[in-house]
Amino acid sequence: MVSLDSDPDAVSTARELNAHAAQWLVGRAEALPLMEGRFAGVICLDVLHWASDRENFEAMWRGAWNAVERGGVFLVRTLLVDSVAGAQAIGDGRGGRYRLASGAEWFLPRLADIEGLLAASGAQSPEVFPGEDQERMLILSRKPG
């Protein structure tokens, strides 16, 4: 198993706490050229909302998706603007950034955005399951074999 985070301190702490559980790497999802098609499954848990804007989100998505081998599974847990009550668009809303009731400012895609990215990759429509808090959604798709 390989785990990735862009924060060197987080990776250092993870290595200390879970030295044998995974290979911990410092890196960004949008910059995974050496990992293309390498994994039977890729899991993005609460990662994609850290995107700075729509372009960055799509680059992160493609980087993670491209790391999945043919026939492999892609599982994402993320907040969707469709399911976050009270999310207020920042600016004109086209950038995809929203302010939540908590004050946090995150990128929130729509389910239609994700379906479009998958369709453009030739993937089947995703299975979508409500998360434990009814705001985060689990999105499961399989890469065409």
Side-chain angles (χ1 to χ4, degrees):
M1 177 166 57
V2 175
S3 294
L4 181 76
D5 196 292
S6 63
D7 182 348
D9 291 333
V11 169
S12 178
T13 300
R15 283 179 180 149
E16 291 171 14
L17 296 174
N18 302 294
H20 304 292
Q23 178 183 2
W24 295 93
L25 302 176
V26 176
R28 300 191 57 84
E30 63 270 35
L32 296 174
L34 300 177
M35 300 206 182
E36 190 164 327
R38 180 172 174 195
F39 301 102
V42 170
I43 301 170
C44 293
L45 296 179
D46 299 329
V47 171
L48 298 173
H49 64 268
W50 293 104
S52 58
D53 56 27
R54 188 165 309 283
E55 184 178 323
N56 184 228
F57 168 78
E58 290 179 5
M60 291 170 70
W61 181 278
R62 281 190 306 274
W65 174 259
N66 289 339
V68 179
E69 68 184 23
R70 296 173 63 87
V73 174
F74 189 45
L75 178 66
V76 173
R77 183 173 75 177
T78 192
L79 294 167
L80 296 173
V81 71
D82 316 73
S83 62
V84 178
Q88 299 292 314
I90 297 173
D92 63 10
R94 288 186 292 209
R97 294 200 55 87
Y98 291 84
R99 184 171 294 110
L100 281 60
S102 67
E105 293 182 6
W106 286 337
F107 179 86
L108 300 179
R110 294 180 174 358
L111 181 56
D113 298 330
I114 290 173
E115 290 171 333
L117 288 168
L118 289 168
S121 301
Q124 298 174 346
S125 294
E127 294 181 60
V128 180
F129 308 95
E132 66 279 358
D133 62 7
Q134 301 302 310
E135 288 186 343
R136 285 174 179 79
M137 296 290 153
L138 293 172
I139 301 163
L140 177 66
S141 188
R142 184 172 296 278
K143 198 167 201 176

